[in-house]
């Protein structure tokens, strides 16, 4: 059994290839958070709940959907951490202290990987010690500098702590290419566009029967490029531009004979749903209560207070995600957030959404153009564009490739499992030779 692990910023998945060369995806328990009992993906997050302890009295880590359930039900008694992958380049984030116990970033990642490993072992009925894991084309720090070596060292250590004795890394778009290659009976020059939660990665590669005959199959790679913009960024833009105003953004309040805006740093916490709960400190709540008494829209500040005090950030972002999905299928949708006593309803058009993410779309386009230019490749030399990942379904993103290459040469598939499946195929290719 050969195993590939797609450890993602928002979601993770595991692919397995059996002795017959057939791939499948390991299923994960949704812990009652979805209409479906199981899912092909696992949320890349860990929660520590005071109510769940081991024999030594230490809080047990709860992973994925189970962690979300604990976080929603426990309030202040639960700490939730996520987006570990985006912190791999940070020299500042070395550890987090949870209930007076420090956890390194590597250890937190290892907890998620351990869960993925155990799922693969239960599915395959054998220990998992060799894994091919995905990685973005570029690990880029906040200062814009390339941080590949540092990030990979930390990621390697995390997998080792999770019990993986041998780890090999593969670019995520290359893994998606291996998935797509299974459909080919002739050679093609393919541009693979992989849109994850935290990054968008692109790879030009020669795929088909001849690649398998190469002494080093990686010689088929023509070039790669990537950018730290993807699905999570699009969600944040919906919140910032379309929803935050209902919770007081741009509202003013009267103080010292002046009309002042509600502090913008409050809405900076809206960038990640679980950070909204960080606003629930006594000093912040007292400040907001005082602002509410003198606000131009006190009802919006009341809704903000309810959002914070009832820990509704997860539900808000779920509604945002549903609206984003709907806008991929329809020209407009109605965003609805209904958790009594708060109800927000807003019509959002696809045109509005596309205007909100226009700067990010332009950066994605520039990244693709840069890859073509750096490899000396013209659009006419690309036989096929294969798009995968959740944001590949966003029409304005798809249009980038339709315009450059022609809609007849653009295809998509395996939006949430192509990388994991491709990593498993790569594992069979790499470890099966031994």
């Amino acid at each position: 059994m050969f195993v590939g692990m797609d450890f993602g910023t928002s979601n993770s998945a595991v692919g397995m290839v059996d002795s017959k060369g057939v791939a499948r995806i390991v299923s994960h328990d949704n812990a009652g958070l979805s209409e479906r009992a199981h899912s092909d993906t696992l949320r890349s997050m860990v929660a520590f709940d005071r109510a769940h302890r081991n024999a030594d009295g230490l809080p047990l880590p709860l992973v994925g959907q189970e962690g979300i359930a604990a976080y929603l039900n426990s309030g202040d008694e639960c700490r939730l951490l996520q987006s570990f992958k985006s912190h791999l380049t940070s020299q500042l984030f070395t550890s987090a202290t949870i209930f007076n116990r420090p956890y390194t970033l590597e250890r937190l990642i290892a907890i998620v990987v351990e869960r993925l490993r155990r799922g693969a072992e239960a599915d395959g009925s054998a220990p998992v010690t060799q894994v091919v894991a995905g990685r973005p084309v570029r690990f880029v720090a906040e200062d814009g500098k390339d941080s590949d070596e540092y990030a990979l060292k930390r990621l390697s250590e995390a997998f080792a702590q999770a019990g993986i004795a041998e780890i090999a890394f593969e670019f995520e778009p290359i893994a998606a290419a291996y998935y797509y290659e299974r459909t080919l009976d002739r050679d093609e020059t393919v541009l693979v566009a992989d849109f994850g939660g935290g990054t968008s990665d692109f790879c030009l590669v020669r795929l088909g029967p001849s690649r398998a005959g190469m002494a080093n199959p990686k010689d088929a790679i023509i070039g790669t490029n990537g950018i730290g913009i993807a699905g999570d960024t699009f969600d944040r833009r919906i919140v910032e531009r379309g929803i935050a105003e209902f919770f007081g953004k741009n509202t003013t309040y009267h103080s010292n004979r002046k009309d002042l805006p509600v502090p913008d740093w409050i809405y900076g916490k809206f960038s990640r749903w679980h950070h909204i709960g960080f606003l629930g400190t006594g000093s912040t709540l007292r400040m907001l209560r005082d602002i509410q008494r003198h606000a131009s829209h006190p009802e919006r500040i009341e809704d903000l207070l309810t959002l914070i005090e009832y820990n509704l950030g997860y539900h808000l972002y779920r509604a945002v995600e549903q609206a984003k999905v709907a806008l991929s299928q329809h020209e407009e949708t109605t965003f609805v957030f209904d958790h009594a006593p708060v109800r927000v309803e807003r019509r959002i058009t696809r045109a509005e959404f596309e205007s909100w993410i226009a700067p990010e779309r332009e950066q994605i386009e520039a990244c693709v153009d840069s890859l073509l230019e750096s490899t000396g490749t013209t659009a006419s030399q690309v036989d096929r564009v294969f798009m995968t990942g959740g944001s590949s379904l966003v029409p304005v993103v798809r249009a980038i490739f339709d315009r450059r290459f022609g809609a007849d040469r653009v295809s998509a598939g395996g939006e949430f499992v192509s990388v994991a499946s491709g990593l498993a195929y790569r594992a069979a290719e790499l470890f099966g030779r031994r």
Side-chain angles (χ1 to χ4, degrees), residues 171-188:
F171 291 140
E172 286 150 1
I174 294 295
Y178 293 147
Y179 172 86
Y180 170 72
E181 188 178 42
R182 312 298 290 189
T183 68
L184 296 180
D185 57 9
R186 62 185 178 86
D187 289 343
E188 288 185 352

Side-chain angles (χ1 to χ4, degrees), residues 184-202:
L184 296 180
D185 57 9
R186 62 185 178 86
D187 289 343
E188 288 185 352
T189 298
V190 181
L191 171 61
V192 180
D194 174 34
F195 298 93
T199 61
S200 297
D201 293 310
F202 310 99

Side-chain angles (χ1 to χ4, degrees), residues 323 325-334 347-354 395:
V325 170
L327 288 171
S328 293
Q329 302 167 355
H330 308 286
E331 290 295 328
E332 64 177 63
T333 189
T334 300
R347 174 177 169 269
I348 301 175
T349 67
R350 182 184 291 176
E352 275 185 299
F353 172 57
E354 291 178 354

Side-chain angles (χ1 to χ4, degrees), residues 11-306:
N11 296 284
S12 296
V14 179
M16 303 180 69
V17 169
D18 61 23
S19 58
K20 297 180 180 179
V22 178
R24 68 174 183 272
I25 298 296
V26 174
S27 182
H28 302 282
D29 189 353
N30 269 331
L33 283 179
S34 169
E35 292 179 0
R36 294 184 300 160
H38 294 85
S39 171
D40 289 337
T41 60
L42 178 76
R43 292 276 188 171
S44 306
M45 54 183 63
V46 179
F48 294 85
D49 186 358
R50 287 188 188 274
H52 293 78
R53 297 176 178 272
N54 62 17
D56 297 323
L58 298 173
L60 290 169
L62 304 170
V63 181
Q65 288 83 348
E66 187 179 18
I68 295 174
Y71 179 76
L72 295 176
N73 294 324
S74 299
D76 292 339
E77 295 299 302
C78 186
R79 288 285 308 278
L80 183 139
L81 301 97
Q82 64 174 353
S83 302
F84 306 118
K85 196 174 181 179
S86 64
H87 296 296
L88 282 166
T89 61
S90 174
Q91 302 278 349
L92 299 176
F93 188 171
T94 57
S95 65
T97 300
I98 301 159
F99 300 135
N100 298 318
R101 184 184 182 190
Y103 290 82
T104 65
L105 177 63
E106 291 83 352
R107 183 60 203 146
L108 292 169
I109 294 173
I111 290 170
V112 178
V113 175
E114 282 175 357
R115 171 66 178 273
L116 296 172
R117 176 179 60 78
R118 289 197 303 270
E121 289 175 343
D123 191 292
S125 302
V128 173
T129 59
Q130 296 176 322
V131 165
V132 172
R135 54 150 297 180
V137 168
R138 295 178 64 209
F139 282 104
V140 181
E142 290 184 0
D143 58 9
K145 294 181 179 178
D146 194 306
S147 301
D148 261 26
E149 185 176 349
Y150 179 66
L152 279 180
K153 181 180 178 182
R154 300 181 83 178
L155 198 54
S156 297
E157 174 60 25
F159 273 80
Q161 289 186 27
I164 307 298
E166 186 173 1
I167 178 71
F169 291 105
E170 183 57 87
F171 291 140
E172 286 150 1
I174 294 295
Y178 293 147
Y179 172 86
Y180 170 72
E181 188 178 42
R182 312 298 290 189
T183 68
L184 296 180
D185 57 9
R186 62 185 178 86
D187 289 343
E188 288 185 352
T189 298
V190 181
L191 171 61
V192 180
D194 174 34
F195 298 93
T199 61
S200 297
D201 293 310
F202 310 99
C203 179
L204 269 171
V205 59
R206 191 69 178 165
L207 297 176
S210 65
R211 187 190 70 84
M214 293 180 176
N216 182 4
K218 282 198 170 185
D219 290 342
I221 300 173
I222 301 169
T224 59
N225 206 357
I227 189 170
I229 293 172
D232 290 352
T233 308
F234 297 163
D235 290 347
R236 287 196 290 273
R237 294 295 172 264
I238 293 176
V239 173
E240 291 170 3
R241 302 293 298 278
I243 307 304
E245 65 178 307
F246 292 95
F247 296 96
K249 186 176 175 66
N250 301 323
T251 290
T252 61
Y253 67 101
H254 200 71
S255 178
N256 296 323
R257 300 181 180 179
K258 296 179 180 179
D259 286 327
L260 303 173
V262 177
D264 202 48
W265 64 264
I266 293 286
Y267 304 98
K269 297 296 184 184
F270 278 47
S271 62
R272 300 190 186 280
W273 64 263
H274 67 294
H275 286 185
I276 294 174
F278 296 169
L279 295 168
T281 64
S283 59
T284 299
L285 294 175
R286 285 192 296 273
M287 179 194 73
L288 289 173
R289 288 292 181 195
D290 186 57
I291 287 174
Q292 184 189 21
R293 285 193 289 271
H294 308 283
S296 57
H297 291 283
E299 74 284 357
R300 294 182 179 182
I301 306 303
E302 180 63 33
D303 285 349
L304 171 62
L305 284 161
T306 301

